Amino acid sequence: MTSTAGGEHQALREAVRDLCSRFDGAYWRECDEKRAYPEAFVLALTEAGWLSALIPEAYGGSGLGVTEASVILEEVNHSGGNSGACHAQMYVMGTLLRHGSEAQKRRYLPDIAAGKLRMQSFAVTEPTTGSDTTKLKTVAVRKGDRYVVNGQKVWTSRVQHSDLMLLLARTTPLDQVKKKSEGLSVFLVDLRASIGHGMTVQPIRNMPNHETNEVFFDGLEVPAENLIGVEGQGFRYILDGMNAERILIAAECVGDGHWFTERAVKYASERVVFDRPIGRNQGVQFPIARAHVNVEAADLMRFKAAHLFDAGQPCGAEANMAKLLAADASWEAANACLQTHGGFGFAAEYDIERKFRETRLYQVAPISTNLILAYIGEHVLGIQRTY
Ligand SMILES: Cc1cc2nc3c(=O)[nH]c(=O)nc-3n(C[C@H](O)[C@H](O)[C@H](O)COP(=O)(O)OP(=O)(O)OC[C@H]3O[C@@H](n4cnc5c(N)ncnc54)[C@H](O)[C@@H]3O)c2cc1C
């Protein structure tokens, strides 16, 4: 079963599927059991060039759009894998591409495209301020030719398997800016020079096998040349990148949704109880059919958002709606699939409980469903802000 919305990318889909077929359920299960990073998979995806899809050809990448990048991640999840191990390189790329200096791009992009460097970590969320990003407390103070960073982040993913990290920190105190979104800046942190030198990393064991961490900054020095764009404008740069992030995550959820419904269809057709396939019962069949309908509908919104993004058009409403619809649809499909499998759905060897845990994340991260609804209510429908 393939998406009806994305039929025009068949060659790309087949190439990614071909690669993913080398990393089957047993591979992902073993990583999950050992809480290991899927290094061999990420390496294969990097070597095949798929993770540098968004890097322009002039810097050694393939210069594809967010539409194609989203198809790559969708196929990873549709194959039973988990793009969460490496998706951030795609969704943080825009910040460097759009706001980085030519010198920064020349210094890092060719090596990222060649697979010599990984830029797949993104430190925004903090333990005491959560979704209220502009109140974050990590500070970066300019001292000569460097910034000195103090503070703490939480849920900073893939730090242990990345060379570079984007950091959002406050450079002007909140009480000295006109708007709270001002005075925040983005830095490119070279993790190789930072961990153990003012930056410590504390892994967080979590529900899916997601490499994510608490990060502490205690006098970390970041060269001033690693500031991205203009000091104080970083929140705007991060917001710019969020539409891409929403679209890419929506595509992963669509991939998950198809994986769940396909598994459910197969099992419903094969499992015989009371002398007939369980799928002949409407109580089993209809939840699967409904989940499929919702995955397909979410997919249309994902492609609408992706096409607008690639055309340089505003797409905040569509990107947010796509993320919400797709995360809901994949979660609905996960539940239908688990229920269809009865007790066997809970057995690790079926991979359903693993994928169930993995797709559940997208109700909360990288933005929670409530915050999307608040965005739609306020910015799309024009109702008063609820918070
Ligand atoms: C596995 C994992 C990986 C992650 N990776 C990263 C990463 O790489 N980098 C990074 O920066 N962050 C990362 N995050 C953090 C993620 O983006 C946040 O968890 C998410 O944005 C929610 O923030 P919070 O957890 O602080 O929840 P809170 O902001 O504390 O919210 C808690 C709950 O209250 C609800 N809520 C809060 N305010 C309102 C309101 N005004 N109206 C209605 N409901 C509200 C929220 O919807 C949520 O359900 C990750 C999180 C997880 C779990």
Side-chain angles (χ1 to χ4, degrees):
M1 199 189 310
T2 39
S3 155
T4 50
E8 68 267 35
H9 301 290
Q10 278 320 311
L12 174 61
R13 289 183 186 281
E14 275 161 31
V16 180
R17 258 178 229 162
D18 189 45
L19 185 151
C20 292
S21 68
R22 288 162 31 207
F23 301 91
D24 59 6
Y27 172 79
W28 290 100
R29 213 151 51 236
E30 192 184 346
C31 290
D32 187 62
E33 276 162 23
K34 294 184 174 162
R35 313 300 288 183
Y37 186 76
E39 184 62 41
F41 170 75
V42 177
L43 204 57
L45 210 59
T46 306
E47 281 170 358
W50 298 125
L51 286 182
S52 51
L54 292 173
I55 299 179
E57 283 170 324
Y59 301 101
S62 40
L64 297 172
V66 160
T67 305
E68 289 80 11
S70 78
V71 168
I72 294 167
L73 299 183
E74 177 195 336
E75 286 300 331
V76 170
N77 281 38
H78 192 165
S79 78
N82 182 8
S83 300
C86 51
H87 55 193
Q89 186 145 298
M90 287 186 179
Y91 64 67
V92 300
M93 187 57 68
T95 305
L96 180 55
L97 284 179
R98 276 192 298 276
H99 306 291
S101 66
E102 192 52 36
Q104 287 168 335
K105 289 191 246 184
R106 295 242 162 259
R107 179 161 177 204
Y108 295 110
L109 291 177
D111 280 352
I112 297 172
K116 291 184 197 154
L117 280 183
R118 285 181 185 167
M119 183 180 69
Q120 50 180 17
S121 203
F122 182 51
V124 173
T125 309
E126 299 196 358
T128 57
T129 46
S131 306
D132 198 357
T133 308
T134 55
K135 300 253 180 68
L136 61 78
K137 293 176 180 154
T138 297
V139 291
V141 177
R142 178 95 191 225
K143 296 234 166 101
D145 62 351
R146 29 207 66 221
Y147 284 85
V148 179
V149 181
N150 283 289
Q152 183 186 349
K153 296 284 174 182
V154 71
W155 305 117
T156 313
S157 302
R158 297 163 296 270
V159 168
Q160 301 164 56
H161 295 89
S162 191
D163 302 298
L164 304 169
M165 177 184 84
L166 288 192
L167 168 71
L168 185 67
R170 187 156 277 290
T171 39
T172 307
L174 197 52
D175 58 10
Q176 290 173 28
V177 290
K178 283 200 207 90
K179 280 165 58 186
K180 60 184 182 171
S181 56
E182 291 169 359
L184 293 163
S185 303
V186 178
F187 298 92
L188 197 60
V189 175
D190 189 331
L191 294 167
R192 299 162 299 178
S194 304
I195 295 177
H197 305 278
M199 175 176 172
T200 45
V201 174
Q202 184 67 44
I204 303 174
R205 191 181 161 95
N206 59 90
M207 188 165 91
N209 175 31
H210 199 87
E211 194 252 89
T212 190
N213 310 274
E214 282 182 289
V215 171
F216 301 88
F217 304 106
D218 183 9
L220 171 72
E221 295 193 353
V222 178
E225 67 198 31
N226 286 23
L227 171 75
I228 293 193
V230 178
E231 186 187 294
Q233 296 297 310
F235 188 65
R236 190 166 59 78
Y237 305 158
I238 297 290
L239 281 186
D240 271 4
M242 281 182 176
N243 289 334
E245 178 195 83
R246 310 277 192 262
I247 295 165
L248 294 167
I249 298 287
E252 290 176 41
C253 289
V254 166
D256 281 343
H258 286 310
W259 186 91
F260 283 118
T261 50
E262 285 164 16
R263 287 292 172 109
V265 166
K266 186 167 184 297
Y267 194 76
S269 311
E270 291 170 1
R271 171 74 166 169
V272 174
V273 182
F274 297 112
D275 305 319
R276 61 182 190 160
I278 55 171
R280 284 183 58 191
N281 300 296
Q282 291 183 352
V284 174
Q285 185 182 121
F286 288 3
I288 305 170
R290 182 176 288 278
H292 176 67
V293 171
N294 286 332
V295 172
E296 287 283 292
D299 203 16
L300 291 173
M301 186 59 79
R302 163 274 189 108
F303 275 109
K304 182 176 181 188
H307 290 148
L308 285 170
F309 186 98
D310 287 333
Q313 302 287 318
C315 65
E318 291 79 5
N320 276 284
M321 289 192 285
K323 194 289 185 168
L324 181 133
L325 289 168
D328 280 356
S330 74
W331 182 230
E332 181 184 8
N335 273 303
C337 183
L338 186 70
Q339 196 69 16
T340 301
H341 281 75
F344 289 110
F346 292 82
E349 69 172 285
Y350 282 74
D351 292 317
I352 293 160
E353 62 83 33
R354 171 179 62 81
K355 291 282 282 181
F356 188 89
R357 287 182 276 118
E358 288 168 1
T359 215
R360 182 63 178 80
L361 175 64
Y362 298 123
Q363 297 280 321
V364 171
I367 180 172
S368 69
T369 303
N370 275 1
L371 268 289
I372 293 185
L373 292 171
Y375 171 87
I376 299 293
E378 183 186 350
H379 296 286
V380 180
L381 301 176
I383 314 176
Q384 287 95 331
R385 194 181 173 101
T386 55
Y387 56 96

